[in-house]
Structures are given as structure tokens and as C-alpha cells.
Amino acid sequence: MSHYLLSGYAEVSPQVLKDRLKYPSSGCFLVQGMGPLAVHGHAKFGRLLFAHGAGAGQQSFFMRQFVTSLADRGIQVLCIDFPYMQQMQETGKRRPPPPIAQTLAQFAEWYALLDSLFEGPLWIGGKSMGGRVATLFASQQLASEPSSSTVPGVVVAGYPFHPPKTPHKLRLEHWPAITCPMLILQGERDPFGRQEEVEGYALPANAQLSWLKDGDHDFKPRRVSGLTQTVLIDEATQVAASFVRAYSQDLKEESNTLV
């Protein structure tokens, strides 16, 4: 039996998923042909498709805490594991992610499926690599799928502005093509983009940065700061929930229903 079935994920077809999502508001599903989907919370103020980072999936400590805290604030979060991460979970062996274009295509498949199920807008985002994938999707959506619904916004926890120790290799070339609001939650000491580095970049006006005091890439502060990772994650989700809510004023309670 697979890792996910043993972890309590219910196997369903994409066609059956719509009915299963009607109740309860939270649940874990192994969608045939797609992979694991975990639904957290109730969409009181918004709904977010949130992808994991390169080295840890949706069941990592950071993802669990971030997603739970965000769901408690009225944002329903839908978490996925990309195929390479599914293989890591099944075999217990680490493996690198595939080329980013492949992961982007997989993210697009999930978005198309989930966006078709719900009445309200579906935000996108992710942790680190997952956040980069989300921004790439937002930058390409109108050009590649002009008939699809527009992504309302992006939320990223720890954007990988550049690989550690190679600050000249920036990953920002696609940002000018993003027209929706973006929120980047970033630790001040993040080796993928420290505050003193990022503040020197020419970023588009629709990108809002929220700095987490003394935090690293996983929002872990040094002990001398007097803060904890839990405190910084809670602060980050408070900012994220307020951001989504501010740009979703027309999202009514009825949008929690399925199409």
C-alpha cells in the first residue's frame, strides 16, 4: 500500500473529487492520475493552491504549520505533492526536482482541475520552489490560456530570488509579466534573498514584500533574537490572510460551494 493511503488519503477519481469536496471542508485525497491533495479549512475569505519547496513536501513541519495557521485565519488551503516528491515519499530516498518547466506543467494541471470545481477565485502560491512555480504560472497564464479564469493573486513563503552564494543568478525575468497582486513573505536572513539584497532590486509595483525579523529561509530566527519559528510563521500567515482578504472583497460566503 502506498505511503499516502497509509497516511489516510482516500483514493478518488477527478470526477468523484467534486462530490467528495462537498463535505467535510477539510480532507486528504489521492486523486487518480494526479496525486495527493490535502484540503485544509473553510474558504471564509479565500482559497489558495499552495505548492511545496524543492526538498520537502506538504507533510513537512513548515508546510503543516504554515497551512494550519493560514486555514485558521479563514483561508482554505489546497496542498499538493509533485510527482518527484511522491516518489521520495514512497521510496524514502531523496531526489532532485525535475526541470522547472516540467513542474510548472504539473502545477498547471492541478490548477485547471481545482479551478473548475469551485465557484470563487483560486489564489496560487507556494514555499520556495513552489512559490517560484506559482509566479511562473501567473506570468504565463494569460498568454497560454486566454480563455481561462484569471489568477487573482500569488502568495509566496520564502521566494528563491537566487541560489545561495550566487546572488548574480536572479530569478526575476518573468516578474514583469505578472499582472496580479503578489505577496512575498521573506526572512531577513534568507540566503536565497536577504533583505539588503532584495531592497536593491527593481521589483514591479504589484509585488509586496513582508520581512520577517531575523528569519531564515524557513522563517527560523536566531535564539538571540528572542523570537521563534512559530511566532514568525504565525506573523506571516496573519499578513497573508489580510492580503488575500483585501483583494477578495467581492468573494462571498456562497463561493465556498462547488460549481
Side-chain angles (χ1 to χ4, degrees), residues 153-224:
V154 183
V155 175
V156 179
Y159 187 80
F161 286 95
H162 58 73
K165 300 182 180 179
T166 53
H168 60 285
K169 294 184 178 180
L170 292 180
R171 295 160 170 162
L172 293 171
E173 63 279 356
H174 61 288
W175 276 34
I178 301 174
T179 59
C180 63
M182 287 193 295
L183 173 65
I184 311 299
L185 304 157
Q186 197 83 357
E188 291 179 345
R189 297 184 300 110
D190 192 332
F192 289 84
R194 298 176 183 274
Q195 184 173 8
E196 59 268 23
E197 296 172 338
V198 177
E199 287 181 344
Y201 301 157
L203 301 180
N206 58 316
Q208 176 179 318
L209 276 86
S210 180
W211 293 102
L212 300 166
K213 186 174 178 59
D214 205 57
D216 65 5
H217 194 54
D218 290 326
F219 301 169
K220 290 181 181 178
R222 293 168 294 190
R223 183 176 300 179
V224 68

Side-chain angles (χ1 to χ4, degrees), residues 22 36 46 48 78 98 103 109 116 125 141 145 148 153-154 162 182 190 195 203 205-206 208 211 222 252 258:
K22 290 179 180 178
L48 171 69
L78 305 120
T103 307
E109 290 178 3
S116 70
Q141 190 198 27
E145 300 180 62
S148 66
V154 183
H162 58 73
M182 287 193 295
D190 192 332
Q195 184 173 8
L203 301 180
N206 58 316
Q208 176 179 318
W211 293 102
R222 293 168 294 190
K252 305 300 182 182
L258 294 102

Side-chain angles (χ1 to χ4, degrees), residues 9 24 60 74 88 98 103-104 124 139 142 147 156-157 160 162 176 200 202 204 220 233 237 247 249:
Y9 286 68
S60 70
M88 284 177 56
T103 307
L104 174 58
I124 60 174
S139 73
L142 291 179
S147 62
V156 179
H162 58 73
K220 290 181 181 178
I233 289 177
T237 57
Y247 285 98
Q249 292 300 317

Side-chain angles (χ1 to χ4, degrees), residues 5-205:
L5 292 177
L6 289 171
S7 299
Y9 286 68
E11 188 170 11
V12 297
S13 68
Q15 295 74 24
V16 172
L17 179 62
K18 179 178 179 178
D19 291 332
R20 295 297 301 272
L21 285 178
K22 290 179 180 178
Y23 38 76
S25 56
S26 297
C28 295
F29 309 95
L30 189 59
V31 185
Q32 295 170 358
M34 299 290 289
L37 168 71
V39 183
H40 303 266
H42 182 78
K44 184 177 181 180
F45 302 120
R47 180 177 287 109
L48 171 69
L49 171 59
F50 198 75
H52 60 77
Q58 59 171 280
Q59 295 175 325
S60 70
F61 173 81
F62 178 93
M63 287 286 288
R64 292 198 311 269
Q65 187 169 354
F66 185 91
V67 167
T68 299
S69 182
L70 196 53
D72 287 343
R73 299 183 185 280
I75 307 299
Q76 186 180 67
V77 189
L78 305 120
C79 293
I80 59 174
D81 276 350
F82 293 116
Y84 85 94
M85 183 57 62
Q86 296 173 41
Q87 294 180 27
M88 284 177 56
Q89 299 291 356
E90 298 292 353
T91 64
K93 297 180 180 179
R94 294 187 63 83
R95 58 184 299 147
I100 198 73
Q102 183 175 331
T103 307
L104 174 58
Q106 293 155 355
F107 185 88
E109 290 178 3
W110 272 113
Y111 187 88
L113 171 63
L114 297 172
D115 188 49
S116 70
L117 299 181
F118 295 104
E119 193 174 90
L122 178 61
W123 284 62
I124 60 174
K127 170 74 170 77
S128 191
M129 180 201 73
R132 182 187 176 198
V133 170
T135 61
L136 285 165
F137 179 72
S139 73
Q140 297 178 8
Q141 190 198 27
L142 291 179
S144 61
E145 300 180 62
S147 62
S148 66
S149 59
T150 303
V151 170
V154 183
V155 175
V156 179
Y159 187 80
F161 286 95
H162 58 73
K165 300 182 180 179
T166 53
H168 60 285
K169 294 184 178 180
L170 292 180
R171 295 160 170 162
L172 293 171
E173 63 279 356
H174 61 288
W175 276 34
I178 301 174
T179 59
C180 63
M182 287 193 295
L183 173 65
I184 311 299
L185 304 157
Q186 197 83 357
E188 291 179 345
R189 297 184 300 110
D190 192 332
F192 289 84
R194 298 176 183 274
Q195 184 173 8
E196 59 268 23
E197 296 172 338
V198 177
E199 287 181 344
Y201 301 157
L203 301 180

